[in-house]
Amino acid sequence: MKKVGLASTTFARYDMAKAAREEIEKQVTGIKFIERYVPGVKDLPVTAKKLIEEDGCEIVMAFGMPGGEKIDKLCAHEASTGLIQAQLMTNTHIIEVFVHEDEGKDDKDLKQLMHNRATQHADNLVKMLFKPEIMKKEVGQGIREGRENKGPL
């Protein structure tokens, strides 16, 4: 049974982990989810690392919603750097699923964006673990998570 870690922040205004878990469960069985919750994005790197090292997760999704202020963007960058470092330290993928508060036009758009980004990254997780041939076919296609794809050149 594959173990998947889901790390979420309480600052986010939508439960992206729940949306991702439901999407993964639609596509594959035999997954054990281990969930952890933290206040903000800068808490995600150590939580993700612990999910890998202490809980034996084969892959982790880290969900967060940085605010729209300049300091929030700096904090998001620091959190991303920490997640990358945790990946390198553990040789394990951590899929960062961040939606900045100022990405949405309004609350409805922001909620839809958060749902789309979470479920589309859940699709990526399924492809990475179970269907790498599909991911190979998508290389160079300008696929993005959350909004419309850009398409190939």
Side-chain angles (χ1 to χ4, degrees):
M1 178 174 287
K2 302 247 185 219
K3 286 186 185 178
V4 172
L6 303 175
S8 299
T9 63
T10 59
F11 184 76
R13 297 177 56 208
Y14 179 77
D15 191 347
M16 292 185 281
K18 179 181 178 189
R21 184 178 61 250
E22 289 172 353
E23 183 63 30
I24 293 166
E25 288 172 335
K26 285 182 198 173
Q27 297 185 44
V28 293
T29 59
I31 301 281
K32 179 178 181 181
F33 294 97
I34 301 173
E35 297 187 43
R36 298 287 181 262
Y37 314 98
V38 297
V41 293
K42 291 188 293 183
D43 302 302
L44 289 170
V46 71
T47 301
K49 186 173 180 284
K50 289 177 76 162
L51 281 163
I52 295 162
E53 293 181 342
E54 296 175 11
D55 296 307
C57 292
E58 296 176 52
I59 193 165
V60 172
M61 296 183 80
F63 302 93
M65 188 182 108
E69 302 299 318
K70 186 175 180 179
I71 187 68
D72 299 321
K73 297 195 182 299
L74 178 61
C75 289
H77 179 267
E78 291 170 349
S80 292
T81 301
L83 289 170
I84 293 167
Q85 185 175 4
Q87 288 184 83
L88 295 172
M89 292 171 71
T90 61
N91 202 29
T92 303
H93 288 283
I94 300 169
I95 299 175
E96 178 185 308
V97 187
F98 286 3
V99 175
H100 291 258
E101 191 172 29
D102 60 356
E103 282 187 77
K105 298 174 196 124
D106 54 35
D107 284 352
K108 182 179 177 184
D109 182 60
L110 184 63
K111 181 178 178 182
Q112 188 63 55
L113 175 61
M114 294 176 90
H115 178 82
N116 291 350
R117 191 160 294 158
T119 56
Q120 290 166 357
H121 273 301
D123 289 338
N124 289 336
L125 181 143
V126 170
K127 292 172 202 170
M128 290 171 74
L129 285 180
F130 301 101
K131 303 173 184 179
E133 68 283 354
I134 294 175
M135 182 136 314
K136 181 180 178 184
K137 289 178 185 176
E138 293 178 347
V139 169
Q141 297 305 303
I143 295 171
R144 82 166 21 149
E145 291 73 26
R147 298 279 191 210
E148 294 293 317
N149 293 335
K150 292 300 256 184
L153 297 177

